[in-house]
C-alpha cells in the first residue's frame, strides 16, 4: 500500500470522499485486508485485535454511510465502461444475507423459511459486464430489510397487488436500479438491462423506453400484443427453469451474447392494462 505502484485498492477508493481523512485511510487498509483473503471473517483478515477493533469501529461510525463507501467504486465502474466498446450488459438480481442474532429486530428480516422468520438483509445489485463476460463493476445497488410479516397473507386477500402503485412495492427497486445504472454508465444506447422473471414489470418497460435504453427479461406468461395474444410454446411453459425469452426494446437486431446467453426474441406492442393508468403510453 505504501509503495509507489498504484494498486487496485487505490484505484477503487480514489473517488471516495469521507468526512474525515483518517476514515479514508482506514477504509483503504480494510479493503486491502479483506481483498487479500476473500470470504474470510473480519478478525481473520485483520490478523490482530487492534485492526479488528478498528474495522468494527469504522463500520459502526455514524459519519460513514453507504454512499461514502461505494462512491469510489461507482466512479471506477464508469471509468472502465468508457474504455470499452460495444454493448454493456447490466445484470440485475436480488440476494439475501441471513444472520443469527440474539436480537434480530436490530437488523431486520428477509422472509420465512420452513415456518421460521429469517434474520438478515436483502441486496438488489446491478453488475455491469461486457459481452465477453468481463466484469466492469457495480452500477447500482440497494439494501433493505423487512419489518412486518404477520397478516401479510390475509392482506393479499383484500387488496389486489396489481392495483398497488409501483412506488409502494419492493419491486420499485428494479426501476430505481435501472435508472441509476443507466445514469452512471452515461450510455443508455449501449446498455442492455437483464433480469429474471421478477423483473417482468410493465412499468420497467415504460421506464426503459423513456430513458432510451434496452432490456432483456425472462417470462413464462402470455402477453397481450395489440389485438392479439402472444402465447409461449407449450414446451416453454413445461420447462420454466430452462426458458429465457428475450424482449429487446428499441432494437432492430438481436445481440449475440458470446457464450453468455441463449434466448429467443419476441417483438410486440405494450398495451395499456387499465383505464386508470392514463400516464402509461398505449404502445412503445
Amino acid at each position: 500500500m505504501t509503495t509507489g505502484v498504484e494498486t487496485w485498492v487505490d484505484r477503487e477508493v480514489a473517488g471516495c470522499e469521507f468526512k474525515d481523512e483518517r476514515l479514508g485511510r482506514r477504509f483503504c487498509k480494510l479493503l486491502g485486508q479483506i481483498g487479500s483473503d476473500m470470504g474470510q471473517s473480519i478478525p481473520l483478515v485483520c490478523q490482530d485485535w487492534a485492526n479488528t477493533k478498528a474495522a468494527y469501529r469504522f463500520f459502526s461510525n455514524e459519519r460513514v454511510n453507504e454512499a461514502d463507501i461505494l462512491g469510489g467504486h461507482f466512479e471506477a465502474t464508469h471509468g472502465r465502461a468508457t474504455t470499452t466498446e460495444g454493448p454493456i450488459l447490466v445484470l440485475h438480481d436480488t440476494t439475501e444475507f441471513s444472520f443469527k442474532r440474539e436480537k434480530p429486530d436490530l437488523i431486520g428480516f428477509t422472509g420465512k423459511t420452513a415456518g421460521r422468520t429469517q434474520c438478515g438483509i436483502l441486496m438488489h445489485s446491478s453488475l455491469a459486464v461486457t459481452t465477453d463476460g468481463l466484469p466492469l463493476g457495480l452500477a447500482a445497488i440497494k439494501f433493505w430489510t423487512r419489518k412486518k410479516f404477520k397478516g401479510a397473507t390475509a392482506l393479499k386477500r383484500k387488496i389486489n397487488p396489481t392495483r398497488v402503485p409501483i412506488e409502494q412495492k419492493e419491486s420499485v427497486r428494479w426501476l430505481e436500479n435501472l435508472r441509476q445504472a443507466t445514469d452512471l454508465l452515461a450510455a443508455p444506447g449501449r446498455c442492455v438491462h437483464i433480469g429474471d422473471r421478477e423483473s417482468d414489470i410493465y412499468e420497467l418497460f415504460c421506464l426503459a423506453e423513456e430513458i432510451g435504453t434496452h432490456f432483456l427479461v425472462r417470462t413464462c406468461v402470455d402477453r397481450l400484443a395489440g389485438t392479439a395474444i402472444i402465447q409461449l410454446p407449450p414446451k416453454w411453459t413445461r420447462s420454466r427453469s430452462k426458458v429465457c425469452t428475450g424482449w429487446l426494446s428499441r432494437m432492430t437486431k438481436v445481440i449475440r451474447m458470446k457464450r453468455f446467453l441463449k434466448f429467443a426474441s419476441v417483438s410486440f406492442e405494450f398495451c395499456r392494462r387499465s383505464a386508470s393508468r392514463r400516464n402509461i403510453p398505449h404502445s412503445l
Side-chain angles (χ1 to χ4, degrees):
M1 299 262 188
T2 57
T3 63
V5 180
E6 183 185 27
T7 65
W8 71 269
V9 174
D10 298 323
R11 293 192 296 270
E12 290 299 311
V13 304
C16 292
E17 296 182 2
F18 291 94
K19 297 177 177 62
D20 191 314
E21 184 179 348
R22 291 172 296 180
L23 293 174
R25 291 198 298 267
R26 171 55 60 182
F27 176 60
C28 185
K29 182 176 181 178
L30 182 58
L31 186 61
Q33 290 172 329
I34 295 176
S36 64
D37 199 354
M38 296 294 294
Q40 299 299 331
S41 65
I42 291 179
L44 184 60
V45 298
C46 290
Q47 297 183 352
D48 57 52
W49 175 240
N51 282 315
T52 301
K53 192 174 182 178
Y56 286 128
R57 282 179 174 174
F58 174 84
F59 290 129
S60 62
N61 195 317
E62 295 182 354
R63 294 182 297 170
V64 177
N65 56 44
E66 181 182 316
D68 296 335
I69 295 176
L70 293 172
H73 176 68
F74 285 150
E75 186 175 309
T77 299
H78 171 76
R80 287 187 284 265
T82 56
T83 61
T84 64
E85 297 181 355
I88 300 175
L89 309 181
V90 186
L91 314 180
H92 302 261
D93 203 6
T94 304
T95 303
E96 296 182 1
F97 298 92
S98 299
F99 305 100
K100 291 184 178 180
R101 295 291 186 272
E102 293 182 358
K103 299 180 179 180
D105 293 340
L106 298 178
I107 296 180
F109 304 94
T110 60
K112 289 188 176 181
T113 303
R116 293 186 176 184
T117 303
Q118 298 294 320
C119 170
I121 60 176
L122 297 99
M123 177 187 74
H124 186 70
S125 58
S126 304
L127 177 66
V129 300
T130 66
T131 53
D132 291 324
L134 176 66
L136 301 176
L138 289 173
I141 197 167
K142 181 179 181 179
F143 297 93
W144 78 99
T145 61
R146 296 165 178 157
K147 298 298 182 182
K148 182 180 179 181
F149 290 96
K150 187 176 181 180
T153 303
L155 186 62
K156 290 181 179 180
R157 300 191 188 103
K158 300 179 181 179
I159 300 177
N160 186 347
T162 63
R163 294 295 177 255
V164 178
I166 187 68
E167 293 79 11
Q168 298 179 19
K169 299 179 180 180
E170 286 187 359
S171 301
V172 73
R173 68 185 184 273
W174 291 92
L175 280 68
E176 293 173 344
N177 274 34
L178 184 143
R179 185 182 292 277
Q180 181 182 341
T182 304
D183 291 343
L184 176 72
L185 299 173
R190 295 178 57 197
C191 296
V192 181
H193 298 270
I194 302 175
D196 56 15
R197 286 177 292 180
E198 198 175 358
S199 65
D200 187 3
I201 306 170
Y202 184 79
E203 289 83 354
L204 181 75
F205 309 156
C206 294
L207 178 60
E209 175 70 12
E210 176 186 334
I211 62 181
T213 191
H214 315 299
F215 62 89
L216 172 65
V217 301
R218 180 183 181 186
T219 183
C220 288
V221 298
D222 297 337
R223 282 288 167 183
L224 179 64
T227 58
I229 297 178
I230 295 180
Q231 295 183 338
L232 299 179
K235 64 179 181 180
W236 289 8
T237 57
R238 288 196 301 267
S239 180
R240 294 190 175 188
S241 61
K242 300 180 180 179
V243 176
C244 187
T245 305
W247 297 342
L248 294 179
S249 153
R250 296 170 61 89
M251 300 188 73
T252 57
K253 295 182 179 180
V254 175
I255 301 175
R256 297 184 180 277
M257 313 298 184
K258 305 174 183 176
R259 307 184 308 277
F260 217 87
L261 294 172
K262 292 183 179 180
F263 60 88
S265 64
V266 179
S267 300
F268 62 95
E269 281 188 332
F270 298 111
C271 297
R272 186 180 301 161
R273 293 194 296 182
S274 68
S276 61
R277 301 196 174 193
R278 301 183 182 278
N279 60 330
I280 299 179
H282 176 69
S283 62
L284 300 180

